[in-house]
């Protein structure tokens, strides 16, 4: 029972500590198993009753030492000095156990592999050799003490034992170094994938930005998150597009305390005029003597510059992030997004102008001509009636009725062509398709329930809802690790309600969604930030209900207001 409890604790810590924890679990298991086997070999040797009691005492003392060493190792996984002290203490102490139990011929010499393997896994090569040599010298010294007065070397006949101890320790150290190198490479790969995922999310989220100011907020937010900075600010070019920066930043993201971003306006303007192609990172000392780490990048496209993005931090930026290259790359990406949004605005205006021209030409060629014919036909019918030719007037009126019916059909056809119903069907199909793809990719079951008419959503809100569905479902599939993801959407003229729930592992909901830790799980990362920003852009709110082991439930309400009656959404949706 106690062995199972000990191993259970070791495995639990292994899951939290990565490779170091896995090694600790393996070494702990080896220590207990080697104690059991060497003790059994020691106890089955023939002995007198008094000597047998001594052997039981030795085995008991070694068990206490094994449990104590295992516990101390598990508490010192991140402290190399403590591990070195522990292994050295065992290296000097175990030979004292060999002295009364047979020296290098004792079965407990194989238990000595425990501290040697620990040093091989956790300590640099120099420390490992130091522990190994300390143990061998001490063990050989005890051999000399046992062989006092006898002829011959005390290690005679035990050369193979010494060679095996040295080779096993060396091979274990080489394997541990290879595993650490693989773990570091895996961490770098995960960091790169996370970085690319954030870039993808930023580019995709840019499609939901309705105005340039929304896009600039998004750029500043991602600049802060991608660099791990405390603050981010953006200085745009003046509204007259003269190439001169505005004197104050238009967007600031980050903590309110500390230095104000506005204090860097002069530095940004000076650097703007230097037109350096790469981002500039330097230190800045404020009026109170505090040191700040600053990085600035021009937001530009291939043809023009739009502004300057600045990030600052009280501590040096993380060594895992190349802040200069990240900011330079982010400047070009942001410039391309701004240029694309402006091009789309021009294209939309041209499209509207072209559609107006098409409708005007269509009205002129068909409806206008038909109405002109109706006017002159009615004038002719009136003249015919005045002349007393009633039959001819009725025939003319019958013809005019057919012309009017034709005009009515043409108008209805034009209205139908302008109807956005097909676009809404495409939007709903895209949501279903994404859920199906997620279900196949992550082996989870997804469901979608839609009430109300999609016509109640504006094009901008439709894009935002689609983006929020993707963010929420993606987070549930990648981080939740559950088996079911349910999406429900209620569309009414007065309110849109989106719910996303899963039966996954859940997480601790952060008090402030703007806070994103640089280490540890990133459940409260940019996905939730994006959903919160999108909801707030439409006067909505995001509510998160989650806890470890109990799944996650997201509710987005647009606009954020309490319904007047319990069935208001269903009733208005039914009317829609």
């Amino acid at each position: 029972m106690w062995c199972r409890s000990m191993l259970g604790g070791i495995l639990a810590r292994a899951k939290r500590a990565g490779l170091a924890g896995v090694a600790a679990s393996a070494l702990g298991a080896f220590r207990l198993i080697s104690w059991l086997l060497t003790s059994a070999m020691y106890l089955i040797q023939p002995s007198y009753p008094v000597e047998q009691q001594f052997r039981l005492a030795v085995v008991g003392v070694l068990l206490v030492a094994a449990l104590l060493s295992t516990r101390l190792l598990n508490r010192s996984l991140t402290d190399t000095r403590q591990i070195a002290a522990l292994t050295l203490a065992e290296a000097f102490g175990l030979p004292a156990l060999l002295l009364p139990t047979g020296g290098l011929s004792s079965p407990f010499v194989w238990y000595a592999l425990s501290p040697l393997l620990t040093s091989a896994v956790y300590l640099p090569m120099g420390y490992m050799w130091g522990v190994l040599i300390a143990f061998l010298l001490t063990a050989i010294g005890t051999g000399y003490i046992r062989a006092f007065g006898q002829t011959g070397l005390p290690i005679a006949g035990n050369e193979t034992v010494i060679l095996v101890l040295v080779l096993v320790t060396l091979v274990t150290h080489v394997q541990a170094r290879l595993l650490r190198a693989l773990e570091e490479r895996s961490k770098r790969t995960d960091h790169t994938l996370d970085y690319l995922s954030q870039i993808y999310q930023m580019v995709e989220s840019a499609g939901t930005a309705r105005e340039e100011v929304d896009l600039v907020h998004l750029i500043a937010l991602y600049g802060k998150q991608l660099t791990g900075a405390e603050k981010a600010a953006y200085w745009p070019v003046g509204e007259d597009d003269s190439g001169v920066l505005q004197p104050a930043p238009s967007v600031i993201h980050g903590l309110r305390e500390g230095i104000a971003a506005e204090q860097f306006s002069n530095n940004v303007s000076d650097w703007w005029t230097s037109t350096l192609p790469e981002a500039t990172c330097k230190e800045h000392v404020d009026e109170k003597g505090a040191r700040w780490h600053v990085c600035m990048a021009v937001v530009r496209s291939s043809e023009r510059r739009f502004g300057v993005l600045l990030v600052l931090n009280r501590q040096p930026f993380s060594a895992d992030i190349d802040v200069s290259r990240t900011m330079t790359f982010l400047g070009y990406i942001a410039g391309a997004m701004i240029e694309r949004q402006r091009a789309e605005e021009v294209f939309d205006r041209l499209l509207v102008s072209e559609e107006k021209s098409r409708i005007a030409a269509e009205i002129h060629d068909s409806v206008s001509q038909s109405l002109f014919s109706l006017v002159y036909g009615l004038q002719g019918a009136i003249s015919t009636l005045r002349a007393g030719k009633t039959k001819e007037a009725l025939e003319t009126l019958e013809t005019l009725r057919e012309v009017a019916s034709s005009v009515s059909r043409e108008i209805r056809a034009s209205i139908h062509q302008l109807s956005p119903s097909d676009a809404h069907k495409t939007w709903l199909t895209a949501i279903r398709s994404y859920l199906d793809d997620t279900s196949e990719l992550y082996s989870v079951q997804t469901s979608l329930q839609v009430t109300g008419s999609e016509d109640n959503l504006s094009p901008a809100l439709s894009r935002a809802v689609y983006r929020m569905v993707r963010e929420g479902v993606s987070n549930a599939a990648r981080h939740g690790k559950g088996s079911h993801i349910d999406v429900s959407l209620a569309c009414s003229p007065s309110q849109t309600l989106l719910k996303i729930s899963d039966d996954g592992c859940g997480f601790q909901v952060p008090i402030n969604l703007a806070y994103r830790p640089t280490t540890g799980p990133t459940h409260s990362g940019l996905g939730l930030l994006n959903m919160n920003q999108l909801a707030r852009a439409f006067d909505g709110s995001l509510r998160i209900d989650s806890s470890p082991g109990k799944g996650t439930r997201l509710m987005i309400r647009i606009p954020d207001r309490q319904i007047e009656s319990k069935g208001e959404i269903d009733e208005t949706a039914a009317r829609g």
Side-chain angles (χ1 to χ4, degrees), residues 204-266:
E204 195 171 37
S205 299
T208 63
R210 293 181 292 177
E211 299 179 359
E212 186 170 322
V213 64
D214 299 326
L215 185 58
V216 169
H217 274 281
L218 184 69
I219 293 170
L221 174 63
Y222 274 89
K224 173 178 172 291
Q225 298 294 341
L226 289 172
T227 60
E230 296 180 11
K231 287 187 178 183
Y234 178 77
W235 280 260
V237 175
E239 296 181 358
D240 56 356
D241 206 15
S242 60
V244 179
L245 286 179
Q246 291 184 3
S250 62
V251 173
I252 299 176
H253 274 284
L255 302 176
R256 294 183 178 180
E257 60 270 14
I259 191 171
E262 290 83 354
Q263 295 187 23
F264 294 92
S265 295
N266 293 332

Side-chain angles (χ1 to χ4, degrees), residues 78 106 126 135 144-145 192 222 242 266 394 404 449 497 499 509 518 552:
T78 57
S106 170
F135 169 75
Y144 274 105
I145 295 176
T192 301
Y222 274 89
S242 60
N266 293 332
L394 291 175
Q449 181 180 3
L497 189 62
K499 296 181 181 179
V509 181
T518 56
T552 303

Side-chain angles (χ1 to χ4, degrees), residues 258-333:
I259 191 171
E262 290 83 354
Q263 295 187 23
F264 294 92
S265 295
N266 293 332
N267 304 73
V268 170
S269 298
D270 294 340
W271 185 72
W272 170 263
T273 57
S274 64
T275 64
L276 295 176
E278 303 294 332
T280 296
C281 297
K282 59 183 179 180
E283 293 184 356
H284 175 82
V285 179
D286 62 15
E287 299 174 353
K288 298 180 180 179
R291 189 177 300 274
W292 290 81
H293 299 267
V294 184
C295 192
M296 296 176 286
V298 171
V299 175
R300 67 173 74 203
S301 65
S302 58
E303 299 179 353
R304 58 183 301 182
R305 300 185 299 167
F306 301 99
V308 172
L309 178 65
L310 175 143
V311 294
L312 62 153
N313 209 28
R314 279 173 286 196
Q315 301 296 328
F317 292 103
S318 173
D320 297 332
I321 304 174
D322 190 338
V323 178
S324 178
R325 294 182 62 184
T326 297
M327 289 290 289
T328 301
F329 178 70
L330 187 59
Y332 281 104
I333 289 290

Side-chain angles (χ1 to χ4, degrees), residues 64 169 199 210 243 270 416 563 568 573:
V64 173
T169 304
I199 293 293
R210 293 181 292 177
D270 294 340
H416 178 73
I563 56 178
E568 178 183 340

Side-chain angles (χ1 to χ4, degrees), residues 17-70:
L19 178 60
V22 173
S25 66
L27 290 172
F30 175 82
R31 190 183 295 271
L32 294 176
I33 294 173
S34 63
W35 166 83
L36 182 62
L37 295 178
T38 54
S39 297
M41 294 297 296
Y42 179 61
L43 291 175
I44 64 176
Q45 295 178 358
S47 62
Y48 296 103
V50 176
E51 185 180 357
Q52 190 68 19
Q53 294 176 2
F54 173 76
R55 291 185 178 186
L56 289 173
V58 170
V59 170
V61 171
L62 185 59
L63 174 60
V64 173
L67 296 177
L68 180 61
S69 298
T70 301

Side-chain angles (χ1 to χ4, degrees), residues 356-377:
K356 287 180 179 180
S357 299
R358 184 190 68 81
I359 294 174
E362 185 174 322
I363 291 175
H364 178 271
D365 294 339
S366 59
V367 178
S368 178
Q369 297 294 335
S370 299
L371 291 176
F372 182 79
S373 300
L374 281 173
V375 171
Y376 277 89

